[in-house]
Amino acid sequence: MKKIGITTTVPSEVLIAAGYKVVDLNNIFITSEKYNKYIEIAERDGFPKSLCAWIKGIYGVCIEENINEIVGVMEGDCSNTKALIEVLELRGIKIYPFSYPNTHKYEDVKKETIKFMNMFNVSLSEVENIREKANKVRKLARKIDELTFIDEKATGFENHLYQISLSDFEGDMKSYESNLARVIGEIENRNENKKKLRLGYIGVPPMTGDIYEFVENLDAKIVYNEVQREFAFPRIEEAKDIYYQYFDYTYPYDINVRISEIKKQLELRQLDGIIHYTQSFCYRAVQDIVIKDKLNIPILNIEGDKLNRLDARTKLRLEAFIDMLHDRKEGIL
């Protein structure tokens, strides 16, 4: 089966209908033992040190793992992707562009998606057939989300992992569906593991996956992963077609689109505080100003760079923030 890399969530239904095995380059990068090597490859080839580690990692994955075809999101994701794509084209990699229109109008999203379908010569009926199967798997991920914030049996990391993997279904939708069903059965048989504080995590998925365990050791739990949840398309029942599904996907659009959904989840999940993760050298860090102004809840902004583990300074800041939330909940503050 042909393999195609993606730089972020795209209409994978189109790619699967075209006979591709989809691989999310971010997931390969962050979970690999060659994590540092991927970054070194990019810096060796001229990528500056003052550039987001995700971009360098994606580049390194493409070169090291011989990814020959890529879908690059040119609008609605990382502002550095265009430059990355130019370098990858220079290396002989075939690029298929896709954009989330900043107008955020249904007709514009439909136009871009049809253009994407035409690139791969697939029909709407073929894509909708795959979407129906994919949404069955996404509904299983929703069950894991519920096991996190309602039943309090799944961990914050499991919530993160099994939703973020829906960007590419780990390359095999049927196998991933079976895996999810097995995991759900295991989690359902656990005892409740309730923590005193309920936290939200917003922003790009973390490079520092140990944040979930660290927080839980402080009698707190992340019960809402904003972007990861969007990867699972939690409102699929409202999506009449593939076009609306990607129109309703909040992450690529205006910050206020995201904030509207975050506010709903704050109330639904009864959150005590939010951790806002941003990546060094990323324009999204500036959005922290808007987020703190619009959301009436304590927010801690932490920033990641090259490390895939929490550093000592970030741990201290998390400890201080969570201590404050404990005091606030107990009425001390």
Side-chain angles (χ1 to χ4, degrees):
M1 182 181 286
K2 299 176 293 184
K3 183 164 61 175
I4 191 165
I6 57 175
T7 60
T8 187
T9 294
V10 298
S12 56
E13 295 90 343
V14 173
L15 305 174
I16 296 169
Y20 280 97
K21 175 181 178 178
V22 182
V23 291
D24 189 325
L25 303 171
N26 300 279
N27 294 348
I28 295 175
F29 164 51
I30 202 65
T31 60
S32 174
E33 293 181 357
K34 295 188 280 186
Y35 166 89
N36 283 317
K37 182 178 182 180
Y38 295 142
I39 296 175
E40 289 169 2
I41 288 170
E43 292 182 348
R44 180 198 66 199
D45 285 1
F47 282 72
K49 292 190 178 296
S50 57
L51 184 72
C52 170
W54 281 112
I55 289 291
K56 291 185 279 192
I58 288 171
Y59 174 84
V61 169
C62 291
I63 301 304
E64 180 71 8
E65 308 303 333
N66 297 313
I67 308 292
N68 299 313
E69 296 181 75
I70 288 175
V71 177
V73 174
M74 312 302 281
E75 184 178 335
D77 187 38
C78 176
S79 57
N80 291 310
T81 299
K82 290 182 181 179
L84 169 66
I85 292 307
E86 289 171 350
V87 178
L88 290 174
E89 283 185 310
L90 186 67
R91 300 288 183 253
I93 294 172
K94 185 172 178 58
I95 305 298
Y96 301 92
F98 180 76
S99 294
Y100 292 99
N102 59 20
T103 57
H104 194 217
K105 292 180 179 178
Y106 172 80
E107 288 304 320
D108 291 342
V109 176
K110 180 177 180 179
K111 181 180 178 181
E112 285 294 328
T113 309
I114 290 173
K115 189 191 302 182
F116 193 57
M117 289 161 56
N118 289 339
M119 281 182 205
F120 293 95
N121 194 31
V122 294
S123 67
L124 178 60
S125 61
E126 289 174 313
V127 171
E128 286 295 327
N129 180 51
I130 298 296
R131 187 172 81 95
E132 183 179 347
K133 296 175 182 176
N135 284 347
K136 282 177 58 182
V137 186
R138 290 164 175 148
K139 286 178 181 178
L140 288 175
R142 183 189 303 168
K143 179 61 179 175
I144 289 181
D145 192 28
E146 291 170 353
L147 285 165
T148 309
F149 83 93
I150 297 175
D151 301 283
E152 305 217 39
K153 293 183 177 182
T155 66
F157 179 74
E158 287 168 332
N159 184 285
H160 154 80
L161 177 65
Y162 294 111
Q163 292 187 106
I164 200 171
S165 298
L166 288 168
S167 60
D168 62 1
F169 302 96
E170 292 187 344
D172 186 331
M173 189 190 300
K174 190 172 183 179
S175 174
Y176 193 64
E177 182 178 12
S178 298
N179 186 39
L180 275 181
R182 176 187 58 78
V183 168
I184 288 169
E186 291 176 359
I187 294 173
E188 285 179 326
N189 287 325
R190 294 177 190 167
N191 294 324
E192 179 185 272
N193 183 22
K194 193 170 184 177
K195 301 294 183 180
K196 188 171 183 180
L197 295 176
R198 296 166 65 88
L199 303 180
Y201 175 100
I202 67 173
V204 295
M207 292 183 73
T208 50
D210 58 332
I211 188 172
Y212 296 95
E213 182 181 3
F214 183 80
V215 163
E216 292 191 13
N217 286 334
L218 299 173
D219 201 14
K221 182 177 177 181
I222 293 171
V223 298
Y224 172 50
N225 284 295
E226 179 219 352
V227 174
Q228 296 91 317
R229 178 173 175 267
E230 288 299 314
F231 283 8
F233 293 93
R235 298 168 296 280
I236 46 180
E237 285 83 2
E238 301 168 21
K240 59 185 179 181
D241 52 34
I242 187 80
Y243 315 125
Y244 190 90
Q245 183 161 314
Y246 286 87
F247 163 79
D248 186 53
Y249 173 46
T250 66
Y251 173 69
Y253 302 113
D254 183 271
I255 184 65
N256 291 305
V257 175
R258 289 175 54 205
I259 287 173
S260 176
E261 181 61 26
I262 292 168
K263 283 182 175 179
K264 294 175 186 176
Q265 298 305 315
L266 291 182
E267 184 175 350
L268 175 65
R269 298 170 192 248
Q270 299 179 311
L271 301 184
D272 298 297
I274 283 179
I275 297 167
H276 180 208
Y277 180 93
T278 55
Q279 195 66 29
S280 292
F281 314 112
C282 178
Y283 78 93
R284 291 185 183 274
V286 183
Q287 293 177 332
D288 189 62
I289 300 168
V290 181
I291 288 168
K292 286 179 176 174
D293 183 74
K294 298 281 187 179
L295 299 180
N296 185 26
I297 189 172
I299 299 172
L300 174 69
N301 177 219
I302 61 173
E303 186 176 72
D305 190 7
K306 288 184 180 181
L307 296 177
N308 61 355
R309 306 286 295 174
L310 292 172
D311 59 28
R313 178 177 178 273
T314 303
K315 286 181 178 179
L316 284 172
R317 295 186 66 229
L318 282 166
E319 286 176 347
F321 179 65
I322 291 172
D323 282 346
M324 179 273 291
L325 293 178
H326 278 298
D327 290 344
R328 193 169 183 260
K329 191 146 190 172
E330 294 168 4
I332 297 173
L333 291 179

